[in-house]
Structure formats: C-alpha cells, structure tokens
Amino acid sequence: MVHFVIVGLLTIASTYYLYSFVLTNSNLLPVAASAQAEPIDKLFEMHWFFLAFFFSLIIVFMLYSIVVFRRKRGDTAAGKHFEGNTTLEIFWTLIPLLIVVYAAYQGVIALEDVERRDPGALEIKVIASQWNWTFEYPDVDGAVSDVMYLPWRKQVILNLESRDVIHSFWVPEFRVKQDILPGGSDFIRQLRITPTETGDFILRCAELCGTRHSTMLAQVRVVTEADFEDWLANFGECETDVECGQALAQQYGCISCHSIDGATIVGPTWQGLFGSSVTLPDGTSVLADETYLITSISDPNGQIREGFFPDIMPQNFQDILTEEEVGQIIEYIKSLSE
Ligand code: CUA
C-alpha cells in the first residue's frame, strides 16, 4: 500500500512540474495574436496535460520499480510469476478510450470555434508563388501589396491561391495554418483570422516549395481599424513613372530577387543595369536598353544572362502587367542607373 502512495505522490508532483512549470517557463508557444489561437492553445494545453500525466506515470513506476524492487545481494530465487489481471485490463482499455473520445469531442468544438465566420468579415486574396507573397484587397481597385495589412479585431477571410506549386500559409502567432494549392478557382482554400494583437509578424511558407522555400517570407502588419482604412484609402498613390514603377516592383515581388544595391540575390541586380553591357552564355554581349528589358520581363528565358539560370523568374508577367506598368517598371530600373 505504501508503495502506491509514494508512486501516486511522485506521479502527481512530476505531472504538476511538467504541466504547469514547463508550460509557463519554457516559451513553448509564441504570443497568441488571434481569436483562433485561443481554442487551439486550450487544446494544446489539454494534450500537454495528458502527455505530462502518462509520461510521469510510466517513468515514475518504472524508475521506482527498478530502484526499490532491484535484486538484493544473495537473492537467487526466481521472481514470482503473474498471468493476466482482468480488472487491470478493463481499466487500461476503458480509461484511454474515454480520454480519446473526450479529446475528439474537444477537437470538434475547437474546430468549430476556429472556423466560425463573422458576417462582416473582410476578404483578402492571398497569392503564393515561387517564392513570394502578394495580397490583393478586392474592396479597393488595384490594391495589391507585398506587405499584408490586417485590421485589429476584425475577422479576415483569406482566399488562398497558388500560381505554381503547393505552398502553405503560416503565421505562428495566429496558430492556424493552411496549404495553398495551384489549379485555379476550384482549388482556392480559405482561412479565417481575427487578429487580437497589433504589431508586426512574419508570414512564412510551411510547405517545401523549391530552392528558395526558406526565404518565402512576408511582413504581416496588424493595425487599428482606422489606420487600416487610411492605408487602404491612400493605397498605391504614385505620381511619377519612377514612383509607380517602384511600387509595382514591390507589389509583384521583383525586388525580392533583383536587388537595387548591387548585390546578387537570385537574379541580376537592377543597380546600374540599364545601359550596361550584358554578357550572354554564348559569350556575345547585348546592350541592356528598353527593348532588352521588355523582352526580359515578358520572356525571361529568352536572353538569360551569363551565370544565371532559366525558369527561376515567373514566365507569366506578360499576362499580369499592362504595357504601361512594364514601362513604369523600366523607368524605375533606369532611375537606378543614374
Ligand atoms: Cu512556398 Cu515553401
């Protein structure tokens, strides 16, 4: 009997330590910054409790038995033989069964909570491509951004689509995560997020999607609803072609591969590009003039520069950008050679 009391107390102490002390002091989870994070964290804590309890039960029992019931010096007799224990078997079948049913029930409740749809939710289109993120705000014509602005305490519905391969939308602070599929409108996936903390977060791609998967990041900025409306109302205002080109280069993620400071990221830098002489793999040179730049945007594989690779740049800018927009981007590239 005394053995059971000791094992029981040790199990309770160990469970308490693993559950509450480790959970609160280890920073296992980042800040919870969305309404959806709450039910998910509750589920996590429930599972953590069961894990802490069963881990403690097994380890305490085992270590206690190894130490207390070890073979005494000079004891050569064989151990007592046991066979079957119906009561024990009923208990260790029934208790885990009840726990699994309870966990499933809690899971369904949490899922319902996470997927609850607010009537006034704001829709945002999220486009993933190798290897950047673009956010479109359908309420304002032409509002396309490479930074994701979200209004505080207002639910947003993200319509997620991919231009090429499978990506995955993941902001750890929001907890929820969703794979993004290529294939057009039939394969759009939705995710609901209600930000509860203002500030900056990092969106990361959580599906291995190619050589630059690890750099597929975007800034997420949660601002008050008033600031959000302001940002949306003044969206994309530009006066000169150079300014508009710069905005476009940011929106379409050009500058995540083409640096503007001379560094080589993935593609050639834009600094000093216009008017320079570009060497092609066959050793010949071409002048980087307007014609060359227009071709490079609409048919990136046409005249690959020495030392760079085909099929890295999206091949569909011809369909996405208007002629005017291409012209503005080229004006911006020109301004980087002045
Ligand atoms: Cu996109 Cu990994």
Side-chain angles (χ1 to χ4, degrees):
M1 192 61 203
V2 71
H3 292 305
F4 281 105
V5 173
I6 294 170
V7 167
L9 289 176
L10 286 173
T11 303
I12 291 170
S14 164
T15 305
Y16 176 76
Y17 173 77
L18 287 174
Y19 177 66
S20 84
F21 187 78
V22 174
L23 196 62
T24 46
N25 291 288
S26 63
N27 294 322
L28 272 181
L29 296 171
V31 180
S34 78
Q36 289 72 19
E38 202 190 308
I40 290 172
D41 284 3
K42 264 203 220 146
L43 263 195
F44 181 82
E45 281 169 26
M46 182 192 83
H47 283 92
W48 184 260
F49 173 78
F50 284 127
L51 290 173
F53 173 70
F54 282 108
F55 179 83
S56 304
L57 188 69
I58 292 163
I59 297 297
V60 167
F61 242 110
M62 193 176 76
L63 292 179
Y64 190 84
S65 306
I66 288 172
V67 174
V68 176
F69 302 112
R70 68 188 183 279
R71 195 166 68 137
K72 305 286 183 308
R73 204 175 277 278
D75 178 7
T76 52
K80 232 199 244 170
H81 184 75
F82 292 93
E83 204 168 306
N85 185 327
T86 314
T87 322
L88 208 54
E89 280 168 21
I90 288 173
F91 271 105
W92 76 41
T93 307
L94 211 60
I95 292 174
L97 182 73
L98 290 176
I99 290 174
V100 169
V101 170
Y102 177 73
Y105 171 71
Q106 291 297 330
V108 170
I109 290 181
L111 191 65
E112 221 166 54
D113 235 10
V114 166
E115 294 191 336
R116 178 170 304 134
R117 185 169 192 157
D118 286 357
L122 172 91
E123 294 207 25
I124 300 173
K125 187 164 152 188
V126 176
I127 301 158
S129 60
Q130 288 169 318
W131 291 274
N132 56 73
W133 299 94
T134 309
F135 311 101
E136 283 185 29
Y137 295 77
D139 292 349
V140 173
D141 200 32
V144 182
S145 172
D146 65 340
V147 174
M148 185 184 217
Y149 275 76
L150 296 177
W152 182 55
R153 296 253 165 113
K154 189 176 160 106
Q155 190 179 72
V156 291
I157 300 174
L158 307 178
N159 292 310
L160 306 154
E161 57 178 272
S162 166
R163 289 218 176 103
D164 35 50
V165 298
I166 301 178
H167 302 274
S168 185
F169 183 101
W170 186 41
V171 179
E173 288 83 357
F174 294 157
R175 300 294 190 271
V176 285
K177 188 199 258 176
Q178 173 64 53
D179 273 7
I180 308 174
L181 310 177
S185 53
D186 289 345
F187 292 91
I188 290 176
R189 289 290 172 272
Q190 285 194 328
L191 193 61
R192 292 179 183 81
I193 294 168
T194 315
T196 51
E197 300 279 334
T198 54
D200 283 358
F201 305 98
I202 302 280
L203 159 64
R204 46 193 88 230
C205 177
E207 179 67 50
L208 186 60
C209 57
T211 48
R212 302 241 305 149
H213 154 71
S214 65
T215 63
M216 190 169 161
L217 308 170
Q219 196 85 29
V220 175
R221 191 160 290 164
V222 179
V223 295
T224 60
E225 208 172 335
D227 285 352
F228 179 78
E229 295 301 337
D230 260 11
W231 171 78
L232 207 53
N234 299 323
F235 194 88
E237 288 201 339
C238 58
E239 274 161 16
T240 65
D241 279 349
V242 173
E243 270 177 34
C244 298
Q246 183 176 15
L248 288 167
Q250 279 167 1
Q251 281 166 26
Y252 289 102
C254 308
I255 53 174
S256 59
C257 291
H258 300 282
S259 80
I260 52 169
D261 62 1
T264 299
I265 312 174
V266 175
T269 180
W270 281 358
Q271 191 192 50
L273 172 63
F274 187 81
S276 69
S277 168
V278 169
T279 311
L280 302 180
D282 62 6
T284 58
S285 297
V286 287
L287 179 69
D289 56 7
E290 281 180 22
T291 320
Y292 172 80
L293 292 178
I294 291 173
T295 319
S296 296
I297 293 171
S298 56
D299 176 22
N301 286 352
Q303 287 183 308
I304 298 275
R305 192 165 161 169
E306 170 83 78
F308 294 91
F309 302 96
D311 296 322
I312 301 291
M313 179 160 152
Q315 309 288 310
N316 54 353
F317 278 126
Q318 206 176 354
D319 310 324
I320 298 170
L321 298 168
T322 64
E323 215 168 290
E324 191 193 357
E325 288 173 329
V326 172
Q328 288 168 333
I329 291 174
I330 289 171
E331 284 308 310
Y332 174 57
I333 297 174
K334 269 190 199 170
S335 76
L336 297 168
S337 291
E338 282 160 7

